Amino acid sequence: MLLSMTIENFKSVKNPQTICFESVKDNRLDSAKVIRINDKMSLIKTSAVIGPNGAGKSSFVRALEVLRRIVLSPRDIANPLAGSLSGTVFAYGIDKATPATISIDVLLDKGIEGDEENPVVIGRYTLVANKDKIFSESLYFIVNNSKKLMFERKLSSDAEGYDYRFGKLYRGEKKRSAKNLPESRTFLSESALSGGETSGRMYSWFENTLNILPMGVGTQAEQFVAEALSKHPGWGDMLVNYLWSVDITDIRRVAVRVKEDGSKSVVFTHVYVNDKKVDGYSNTFLMESLSLRRLVAIGIAFFTAFVKDQVLLIDDFGQLLHPDVLCHIVEIFENCNKRSQMLVVDCNPSLLKEGLLRKDAIWFAQKDSQSSTVFYSLSDFKGRSRTSVYNRYLQGAFGSLPVTSDFYFVHDGTPVEDEEKEEN
């Protein structure tokens, strides 16, 4: 589970911005929409970042994407920072060499309530780096509200090598991993791949828990679906039922076809009534409508989250989807999910529909006077109103709305309307 994330000097974010996914204590909010860890901690099932186009909503998704790519980078890649952090420092800054900071708190162990021998364990991992080198890196475990150092690595004052510190509870590969570690590779990944027990717990979260849905609806999305259906054949029928629930009722079968070259494609069987006879046809994934492909990819991501602990990130959540369908699939996730989180980004205010998400689950994004993105929570706004949150948002009560102005097309310096008059 993801508890919180802080980013600084990354893409559209200049000053430190934090988004928290722990629920606030408020008996007026729906307790069915949180995952209870213990008396002191509950995590929100579905959180959303909402705001206008170009506000920088996706920066926190990109930051998690970049952090995962760096940590899980294979050893044969010389500099994983170059492919991940190039062009990601604050877009409007003058100094492009200033490092970005990404810090996350994740739940590594839910513990056993009332059992002091099995406490809740939170991992806090922080990386400060630019595209050339790591400036600092650290891992702390927070156990029973006590912050304990696992390892810390900082660039020496003379910029020659690193100064390391290791906590008493750190278990794993230490000096041998640190001695020859390049300045472009994380100690977390090197020590985990060398069998480090402590680093391995955090590394495993990136590898097995964090699930970022592919942005597109092309071959990458098809392979994502094909691999899942190959591993879970029964999900084909479940996928048909899921599509029926959003009014796509002519699909009777979803299957995986293995091609001669070993690659896989997803095939849909459509059935319809023609002159009182049942007829049908088959379509491959890439021949289906864009909205259907999007729904299928989301559905498969949902099924995975229903059977194993997942932190599911979906950027442009409402892309290609009808607002009512968008709200309904949130309800599906909320009703079927007992163990995972979903974090979504979208500009569609339909997510503000009354009763769909908790107040503490909604975050807004907008640009400040420095063109830097700021994030703030709906729960920061106190007081009651008879007007719905949806309508108040559209009225500008929470900010984070697009500023529109008049536009008129001019061709070669002459308004098109005037050109037409001259031609006549």
Side-chain angles (χ1 to χ4, degrees), residues 103-122:
S103 182
I104 59 173
D105 281 12
V106 305
L107 185 65
L108 296 177
D109 194 330
K110 297 178 182 178
I112 300 175
E113 196 165 2
D115 187 347
E116 295 184 0
E117 298 296 321
N118 294 281
V120 170
V121 178
I122 296 169

Side-chain angles (χ1 to χ4, degrees), residues 42 98 113 116 131 300 332 386 397 400:
S42 293
T98 301
E113 196 165 2
E116 295 184 0
K131 64 182 179 63
I300 289 296
I332 290 174
R386 293 182 179 180
S400 191

Side-chain angles (χ1 to χ4, degrees), residues 9-12 59 62 66 81-92 96-98 100 129-132:
N9 198 49
F10 181 87
K11 294 185 79 66
S12 66
S59 291
R62 299 285 83 77
V66 161
L81 302 176
S84 301
L85 283 171
S86 294
T88 59
V89 297
F90 179 55
Y92 306 103
K96 299 301 181 183
T98 301
N130 63 16
K131 64 182 179 63
D132 299 313

Side-chain angles (χ1 to χ4, degrees), residues 113-141:
E113 196 165 2
D115 187 347
E116 295 184 0
E117 298 296 321
N118 294 281
V120 170
V121 178
I122 296 169
R124 175 172 295 166
Y125 180 64
T126 303
L127 182 70
V128 182
N130 63 16
K131 64 182 179 63
D132 299 313
K133 62 185 175 184
I134 293 170
F135 287 73
S136 68
E137 178 190 12
S138 64
L139 176 64
Y140 286 83
F141 280 2

